[in-house]
Amino acid sequence: MTQQTPVRPLGGVDGGALIDEDWEAYRFRVHRSAYRDPGVFRDEIAKIWGHTWLYLGHETEIPNAGDFKTRTLGGRPLIFCRDSDGEVKVFLNACTHRGTILCRHNEGNTKFFQCFYHAWAFSNSGDLAALPGDESYPDDPGFRESMRLRQVPRLQIHEGFVFIAFTPDVPDLLTHLGPAAHYMSLTAKIGPHGMQTLPGVQLYSVKGNWKLAVENAMDGYHFAPTHNTFVGYLRETGFAVTDDDQYAYDLGGGHGLLVLTGHNGRIGMVWEPRFGDEEKARTVAKRNEMIARLGPEPAAEIADASRILFVFPNLLLFDLEALTIRQLEPVAPDRTDVRAWQFVETGEPESVRALRIKTMVSFVGPGGLATPDDIEAYEAVQRGIVATADSADPAHDWSDMSRGMANEKQGNQGRSIDEGAMRSFWRHWADRVGAATAVAGDPPADPGAPGPSAALASGKE
Ligand code: FES
Ligand SMILES: [Fe+2]
């Protein structure tokens, strides 16, 4: 039987579908206006960024009372701070008097934020602390109370990862994260003394749509051709590189996971020759330490595979050679800000830290062997999708993501070099923004294929 879902009249440009999924033709394609249309972008900011949990930052970025960072999410300027009592607070970075941006520094430590316009001052827990000429205002405690800094409606923290939402009506954070929470927990358990972000952030701006960054991360297909310099380098240093037995998982809720075993040695986990002999011995010791602390199975789950985790819509956790947290901020249909932090074991020896940083910058850093390739790829895609707008043949204005559909239809786990993780992202995206989709044919009976561990299936720790 063929199922034909009527095209929904929302979101599609000129009333057409943005996603075309056909399980008889094994075709999955995305209309390129989804990456460039300002109306789609506005819908995303309102319906996704305005209505779900967003990754803001890690608690260890603001370790001390009074520490703060300013940051923009979903186009809204924010103050991410630890108040004088040590509590994490997130305020809109806008003076309650007339809306002026309140804090104009990127980071620092303070008890008070003072507005430069009329000099109102607010404590780091949001109280209006000083109001020049306050005798001109009614002598009413309710007035000061009503002028407190505006906190974001929801703030929850999972394993130190701080999430916020701009509307109160979002589910509990762990419900939103589902099985993705487990993979964040694995990362958080690596260090016997905890994990922390290294001070400093790598901020870069990409001339491409934010969804291209998601696709790029969930796309194992591009690894060998795009990163052939790095692949060649790995081979020359005696490390085998393969795409076999690597899989992609749909974690539900738009979240995705690639589990990678075919390349990427990881500091302290999977040794490779370029890490040197000292690190070889430490890798063995590190595994023993994790077995003693966590048990053999969790230790193996953490250590044996590299992972790229995408938490919808803006967090990427690259647990590859070195651990990187990456955050996406859409600035315009064709512009994305990316922030990246190195996530390291608290208290690890200096020599290990130095090797970790060197390894990180050699691949996933913005000047490494991989990231510039990726940025070049998604900027090139953006140029191409602009080029095919208003094509004489409308069929030219679609991007194909059908790789692996036939395999998926047979009930097989999608490979990392297929495009299943991208398809599940796009389905969830369409659902969130109410984009028009056209579905033909029967999808696989069980699209929620089993995960890499029993824990994944249950979403439990
Ligand atoms: S706008 Fe901030 S004090 Fe007036
Ligand atoms: Fe890449």
Side-chain angles (χ1 to χ4, degrees):
M1 182 196 82
T2 292
Q3 139 197 340
Q4 190 78 43
T5 306
V7 171
R8 283 181 282 154
L10 278 174
V13 172
D14 300 331
L18 286 179
I19 310 252
D20 171 25
E21 179 169 7
D22 186 331
W23 284 94
E24 281 175 359
Y26 296 128
R27 182 179 69 219
F28 190 103
R29 49 185 199 160
V30 175
H31 194 266
R32 293 179 176 177
S33 57
Y35 304 91
R36 62 177 186 237
D37 181 72
V40 170
F41 185 78
R42 272 195 303 276
D43 270 9
E44 289 173 333
I45 295 298
K47 296 176 184 172
I48 296 178
W49 258 259
H51 282 279
T52 192
W53 287 104
L54 303 172
Y55 177 65
L56 174 67
H58 197 269
E59 261 192 312
T60 55
E61 289 180 68
I62 45 167
N64 307 307
D67 284 353
F68 72 86
K69 308 267 178 186
T70 54
R71 194 155 290 166
T72 301
L73 267 193
R76 297 177 212 226
L78 300 166
I79 300 173
F80 171 34
C81 71
R82 200 175 281 278
D83 71 14
S84 295
D85 294 331
E87 267 208 47
V88 174
K89 293 268 164 64
V90 181
F91 304 109
L92 291 183
N93 188 7
C95 180
T96 54
H97 180 216
R98 284 292 186 78
T100 311
I101 293 293
L102 178 62
C103 178
R104 298 188 295 165
H105 301 277
N106 290 334
E107 59 184 27
N109 183 285
T110 188
K111 287 198 169 81
F112 299 100
F113 298 101
Q114 185 170 42
C115 180
F116 81 100
Y117 201 5
H118 310 95
W120 287 23
F122 301 84
S123 77
N124 58 18
S125 51
D127 299 323
L128 177 58
L131 169 60
D134 60 353
E135 67 284 353
S136 306
Y137 288 95
D139 186 17
D140 169 10
F143 175 73
R144 279 179 179 253
E145 186 55 32
S146 72
M147 289 296 181
R148 287 178 54 78
L149 284 184
R150 311 301 185 216
Q151 287 199 63
V152 291
R154 297 287 297 275
L155 184 162
Q156 274 190 292
I157 302 174
H158 174 61
E159 302 276 23
F161 294 89
V162 179
F163 288 81
I164 60 161
F166 292 120
T167 42
D169 60 344
V170 291
D172 178 77
L173 177 63
L174 282 182
T175 306
H176 165 76
L177 294 175
H182 170 72
Y183 294 96
M184 297 170 77
S185 297
L186 287 187
T187 303
K189 286 186 184 121
I190 291 172
H193 310 293
M195 301 291 287
Q196 65 172 102
T197 49
L198 279 185
V201 57
Q202 293 166 335
L203 168 65
Y204 47 96
S205 194
V206 181
K207 287 183 252 167
N209 186 273
W210 68 276
K211 298 185 291 298
L212 296 173
V214 179
E215 285 181 3
N216 178 269
M218 291 289 99
D219 172 5
Y221 189 17
H222 82 274
F223 179 73
T226 304
H227 303 302
N228 56 4
T229 311
F230 182 65
V231 171
Y233 166 64
L234 286 179
R235 290 208 167 104
E236 275 174 28
T237 56
F239 197 59
V241 183
T242 168
D243 284 327
D244 296 343
D245 289 329
Q246 303 197 118
Y247 298 96
Y249 298 90
D250 176 1
L251 302 183
H255 316 311
L257 178 75
L258 296 191
V259 177
L260 306 169
T261 49
H263 57 82
N264 287 319
R266 290 155 72 219
I267 301 297
M269 305 287 162
V270 177
W271 182 82
E272 63 174 279
R274 70 191 163 110
F275 295 163
D277 287 342
E278 194 187 318
E279 176 62 8
K280 189 173 194 176
R282 198 190 81 91
T283 303
V284 174
K286 171 72 190 161
R287 174 65 71 100
N288 290 336
E289 181 278 315
M290 288 202 299
I291 291 172
R293 178 165 50 93
L294 305 167
E297 276 183 36
E301 193 181 7
I302 290 170
D304 289 348
S306 297
R307 276 173 287 266
I308 301 176
L309 175 71
F310 169 60
V311 177
F312 188 92
N314 74 331
L315 170 64
L316 286 157
L317 257 185
F318 289 84
D319 191 353
L320 302 169
E321 318 190 293
L323 252 168
T324 301
I325 301 171
R326 230 181 252 183
Q327 178 195 56
L328 306 176
E329 165 68 1
V331 177
D334 59 354
R335 185 69 68 144
T336 305
D337 280 351
V338 183
R339 283 192 164 77
W341 297 266
Q342 301 318 311
F343 199 41
V344 302
E345 292 186 38
T346 303
E348 68 188 347
E350 278 307 311
S351 58
V352 176
R353 179 69 55 85
L355 177 64
R356 189 189 292 284
I357 292 172
K358 188 172 138 215
T359 308
M360 181 279 297
V361 295
S362 73
F363 185 59
V364 291
L369 281 165
T371 298
D373 299 338
D374 289 322
I375 293 172
E376 170 56 20
Y378 51 84
E379 291 191 343
V381 174
Q382 191 74 33
R383 292 196 295 275
I385 63 176
V386 169
T388 53
D390 305 319
S391 252
D393 183 346
H396 294 170
D397 206 23
W398 292 86
S399 288
D400 182 88
M401 282 162 222
S402 58
R403 186 172 161 91
M405 283 176 89
N407 191 40
E408 203 178 308
K409 179 83 180 216
Q410 285 161 19
N412 298 324
Q413 180 59 54
R415 299 173 305 166
S416 64
I417 51 172
D418 291 335
E419 288 164 337
M422 289 153 71
R423 291 190 289 274
S424 50
F425 163 73
W426 275 105
R427 285 186 202 104
H428 187 77
W429 174 87
D431 215 42
R432 293 301 304 233
V433 296
T437 56
V439 182
D442 295 321
D446 177 22
S453 72
L456 175 62
S458 67
K460 299 256 166 56
E461 291 289 329

